[in-house]
Amino acid sequence: MRTPPPLLAVALAGALFATSACGDDAGAQLELTAALPDKVAGGTAIRIGDPAVQAIVQASGLDKELSQAGVEVEWANISGGPQSIQAFRGDKLDCSAVADIPSLFAAWTGTSTKIVFQSVIVDPINHPIYQLGVAPGVNVTSPADLRGKKIAYSAGQAQGALVLRVLQKAGLTRDDVTLVELTSTGDSYVTALGSKAVDVAPIGAAHVKIYKAKYPGGGAILTGIRDDASTLYCLTKSVQDAEKAAALKVYVGVRAKALLWQNANPDGYAKAYLQEVQGLSADDAKDVVAVDGKKGIPATWDNAIERLQQTADLLAEQQDRDKLDVSTLVDRRFEKVEADAAGADVVTGDAA
């Protein structure tokens, strides 16, 4: 896999908000109930791990909108829960693109974060993020066949929650299977399947074809579970920094436009991210685009928050975690920012 381009510094402009009286680099304190600032102080930088959107912003020209607003983005080649939480703890990152589970585990492990962006797939059941990969020679044709199988499982990642939800829907419990603790990084799950270290593992639907080609006899089945939650979450202290909050308000709007640009320009997205960053061939990139669903910007976060609460309740029960009120993990001041940026293209109804 190729490494994304070096950190991008987008030009700065405009000025507002003095730094705090102590004279350090932090901006003035902003209460979480206060309105988001409208202008960005010159030189305000936000450190973001959002590789796919980084590629889209650069390919689409939306980086100019950031620079014109005075937003400087320091891009980090970081994504996923374990990497982002580690970076948060080291104060090396302000925000990262993840599914819904990392915000829960950040809370459970003492790292305070806020979700500032929610997106969905317009047709989530027919365009799942994950399928259940099946090892060569293993007979699994439906979730009911999971009984007695060894399943790759990572408690702190979206894949782990998906496994629990699939078992729940199939009427099975953890006692009916063997969960094999294995963090999903790179192609670790694919390798575990190919070596038959596990019988089943959630793998990206976009990479199922590649998996089957690499390991003849390997297979995959649909989960029947909606798994399209996609967020940007940030350190709470970054959102409480008035200057960074102003920059994030701009970024959230640009991010919504970037996902809509991806919908309208699948070939441009394939080249800019899947080929140039991920290192896929043109044919493989085309296959990934074909299975990807269109991104949706929800008009309201109500449904996403309800689904997150259901997941938090399930994980609390299955993993002996504290009960969480997930409304404390979202910053709904950004809800209208992304919806306004999407305009008439917001998603409503069941898909939201």
Side-chain angles (χ1 to χ4, degrees), residues 131-142 145-146 149-150 189-190 192-194 196 198-203 208 211-212 215-222:
Q131 292 186 27
L132 293 182
V134 181
V138 174
N139 182 29
V140 172
T141 60
S142 75
D145 297 328
L146 295 176
K149 301 299 189 293
K150 295 181 296 182
Y189 275 17
V190 167
L193 286 169
K196 300 185 181 181
V198 296
D199 299 316
V200 175
I203 58 176
V208 167
Y211 163 62
K212 291 180 178 179
Y215 296 103
I221 64 169
L222 296 176

Side-chain angles (χ1 to χ4, degrees), residues 261-262 264-272 275 286 289:
W261 184 91
Q262 177 184 343
N265 299 273
D267 292 341
Y269 165 71
K271 185 175 188 301
Q275 293 177 242
K286 185 177 180 180
V289 170

